[in-house]
Amino acid sequence: MKTVTTVIIGAGHSGLAMSHCLAQHAIEHVVLERGKVANTWRTERWDSLRLLTPNWQSRLPGYEYRGPDPKGYRTLAETVSFIDEYAQHVGAPVEERTTVLSVKRSSNGYVVRTNRGDWQCRCVVLANGAMTVPTLPKVAANRPTFVKSITVRDYKRPHDIVGASVLVVGASASGAQLAEELAQAGYNVVLSVGEHVRVPRSYRGHDILWLMDAAGYFDHGINDVDDLLRVRTLPSFQLVGSSSGRTVDLNRLQALGVKIVGRLTSFRDNTALFSGNLHNVCRLADLKMQRLLRTLDEWIDQSMPDGSSPVAGCLQPTQVPEDPDLVLDLKAASVGTILWATGMRPDYSFIDVPIFDERGRLKHDGGVINAPGLYTLGLPFMRRRKSSLIDGAADDARELAVHMVGFLDGRRPRVA
Amino acid sequence: MNEQQPSTSQLNGVDVAAILEARESLEAAPEAANFRFAARSRWLGGVHTRMEIDQFFGLGEIQKRSRTFTVDSDHPEVFAAADVAPTPVELVLAGLAGCLTAGIASVAENREIELRSVEATVEGDMNLHGILGIDPEVRNGFSAIRVTYDIDAEASTEDIEALVAQSQKRSAVFDVITNPTNVFVTVNS
């Protein structure tokens, strides 16, 4: 068995940022990666994906975007290259093609078993991705067997869709983007819409994420919000990164021919049944968007009165069909595929340490897990609003590295 | 108008502090959160029925109501009935209004918005070709339900709309009506 002070699981941006920070504190470590650096981006995302965040918004510790298009949005290939280059830049000690099989307590820390040998260590950092296991609603188990079922993890391109029509379930970033892609590829698309977060791609002449960053939104910490569970489980912004900077909302999708229906509630024989709450979820999304934009207006008027376009009237309210369909006969509508865009979660299946609550959720305080020497990174609103962004890894990794130094020195520093 | 007099700290007479406290304790004790509501009914002749409601199960035990509540249902004269009570479908509409309005008052209390008046009109569209069996393509129930609120409150139009939207999000009756529910009807032998 090999011995090292800290094992980082996962060579994505989070694990690499942590590697950089630990190196600065001279903490000996290794980064275990099941595939190659940026593996999830390489193997478990669709071809046309671009990051939602602009290129400039990826300030990793010791590294940032220096290319010619800071306001652009990285393609999948560019994202992989960016993270690859970061791994080179920081000289991270990455062990590729090394799959972690288990993490167990030992007398002096943890034993990390892998397909390529075992490691004894004092600290483990779970940086293996916040979005790697698709979460399916319970109703998915009852789907008719004649339809193909595919999740956003496995979908690559329109060719993966069987049949003339497709039911896309979920209207957050993934669902909205793929509904658009499939409508443009000539499929009849029915989009099942639950609660979603509507935002325009740009507002008053600025990228929405630039505005939110400038106004300090992404630096809000866990003590700045009333309901931490709620903000941690919010769906992704209904956004797309593109060369045109377009907004992908339900109005645009309907103009492309996408039919929107309420949340999928059940299957009965060959039909899918939808909730009658579509009008309300759209109204909620519009109202919340307006509230965000009003707050941004206040910030703009105070901070950059001359640097922005005037308020150009309200964005169009979401157009909800007069009489949204409650029933979809999958056979009659030639639906051959259901594409589940219903969220992703981390994979903790290999962890053999009691660190989960009764609902199986990881218990942590700002990334410090309630087991000595265990840490996590990259989870939604882990320490601050930006924690799940590439741009959030710097502050989080820096602070957790300091905590780890204290832990290794035998101190018990306070978190957050 | 308001039977429950608002205490000094309450704007609308809703004890939000108690609700939030219950939310916390029920999160910690998930078993206690499993409630079962119940009503009994007795046929009175014709199409007139009387429902009695006097208890429910919750917090791990039977909870007695303050008294036995009765609700009658009948049908109107155009249905050749005595018209001594609302029709069951009207009771459903009334239940929706009651549930949404309770939600609006609670959310308003929590958001510190004082309500002066909250009035709603609820309409349900129904094509009788369904229940009369004239056209199998027509459903028995409502083809659409519309609720229209008139609210006078110390708040902007947007904030009032947000109250109404949030109330729908958390309403039991709204959920019962908008989402399918398995219903099991059995006959004792």
Side-chain angles (χ1 to χ4, degrees), chain A residues 46-84:
Chain A
W46 61 93
D47 294 351
S48 66
L49 180 69
R50 281 172 181 255
L51 291 198
L52 302 183
T53 45
N55 288 333
W56 61 265
Q57 199 177 16
S58 49
R59 295 160 290 198
L60 287 163
Y63 199 68
E64 58 186 26
Y65 180 78
R66 291 191 197 91
D69 187 19
K71 291 183 176 178
Y73 308 90
R74 280 188 191 84
T75 62
L76 192 56
E78 288 165 350
T79 305
V80 170
S81 304
F82 180 76
I83 297 173
D84 243 346

Side-chain angles (χ1 to χ4, degrees), chain A residues 73-222:
Chain A
Y73 308 90
R74 280 188 191 84
T75 62
L76 192 56
E78 288 165 350
T79 305
V80 170
S81 304
F82 180 76
I83 297 173
D84 243 346
E85 286 156 19
Y86 184 54
Q88 300 293 323
H89 179 80
V90 302
V94 180
E95 301 265 328
E96 293 191 325
R97 287 176 295 283
T98 303
T99 302
V100 173
L101 304 174
S102 71
V103 175
K104 286 194 166 87
R105 286 235 49 150
S106 68
S107 53
N108 186 27
Y110 299 92
V111 171
V112 179
R113 280 188 52 228
T114 84
N115 62 330
R116 289 159 54 114
D118 301 348
W119 294 84
Q120 163 68 45
C121 58
R122 290 195 60 200
C123 298
V124 177
V125 180
L126 304 175
N128 55 316
M131 309 273 173
T132 56
V133 182
T135 50
L136 292 182
K138 276 191 195 142
V139 50
N142 301 323
R143 68 185 180 273
T145 47
F146 67 87
V147 289
K148 174 177 175 175
S149 176
I150 187 169
T151 70
V152 292
R153 183 189 58 188
D154 299 320
Y155 171 88
K156 296 293 174 209
R157 55 196 75 89
H159 186 73
D160 293 331
I161 299 301
V162 174
S165 308
V166 55
L167 171 61
V168 179
V169 184
S172 295
S174 310
Q177 290 177 26
L178 295 179
E180 182 188 45
E181 170 162 301
L182 293 170
Q184 287 177 325
Y187 293 89
N188 301 312
V189 180
V190 178
L191 178 63
S192 167
V193 179
E195 277 194 55
H196 56 279
V197 183
R198 183 185 179 200
V199 286
R201 179 72 261 186
S202 59
Y203 184 63
R204 297 185 65 178
H206 305 288
D207 183 273
I208 190 80
L209 299 184
W210 181 86
L211 269 179
M212 290 178 69
D213 183 70
Y217 267 76
F218 288 119
D219 291 318
H220 290 167
I222 51 182

Side-chain angles (χ1 to χ4, degrees), chain A residues 270-350:
Chain A
N270 293 333
T271 64
L273 303 184
F274 306 104
S275 177
N277 70 352
L278 180 62
H279 186 269
N280 191 47
V281 293
C282 293
R283 195 73 200 108
L284 274 169
D286 285 357
L287 285 164
K288 285 177 181 167
M289 176 180 73
Q290 293 302 345
R291 202 183 314 155
L292 171 68
L293 297 183
R294 290 300 80 78
T295 321
L296 292 175
D297 281 335
E298 276 175 32
W299 180 84
I300 289 171
D301 295 340
Q302 276 180 12
S303 309
M304 47 184 318
D306 305 324
S308 304
S309 333
V311 180
C314 287
L315 279 108
Q316 283 296 315
T318 302
Q319 301 296 311
V320 183
E322 185 96 346
D323 195 12
D325 284 358
L326 298 169
V327 178
L328 174 67
D329 185 326
L330 300 168
K331 275 228 161 101
S334 307
V335 173
T337 306
I338 300 176
L339 174 56
W340 302 95
T342 42
M344 303 267 244
R345 59 182 170 82
D347 179 12
Y348 296 132
S349 57
F350 56 89

Side-chain angles (χ1 to χ4, degrees), chain B residues 75 79 89 126-136 138-142:
Chain B
H75 286 77
F79 288 12
V89 292
M126 185 183 291
N127 180 344
L128 288 198
H129 284 194
I131 55 174
L132 293 175
I134 296 169
D135 185 347
V138 175
R139 66 184 285 187
N140 298 336
F142 295 119

Side-chain angles (χ1 to χ4, degrees), chain A residues 195 227 263 265-266 268 273-277 280 283-284 287-288 290-291 294 323 326 359, chain B residues 23 27 30 111 139 143-144 158-159 161-162 164-166 168-169 174-175 178-181:
Chain A
E195 277 194 55
D227 191 340
R263 190 175 53 82
T265 61
S266 53
R268 198 178 285 165
L273 303 184
F274 306 104
S275 177
N277 70 352
N280 191 47
R283 195 73 200 108
L284 274 169
L287 285 164
K288 285 177 181 167
Q290 293 302 345
R291 202 183 314 155
R294 290 300 80 78
D323 195 12
L326 298 169
R359 285 192 240 173
Chain B
R23 182 187 161 178
E27 192 182 2
R111 295 184 182 174
R139 66 184 285 187
S143 57
E158 260 191 12
D159 285 348
E161 281 202 44
V164 177
Q166 182 67 18
Q168 290 166 73
K169 179 175 161 175
F174 184 85
D175 175 70
T178 54
N179 296 313
T181 308

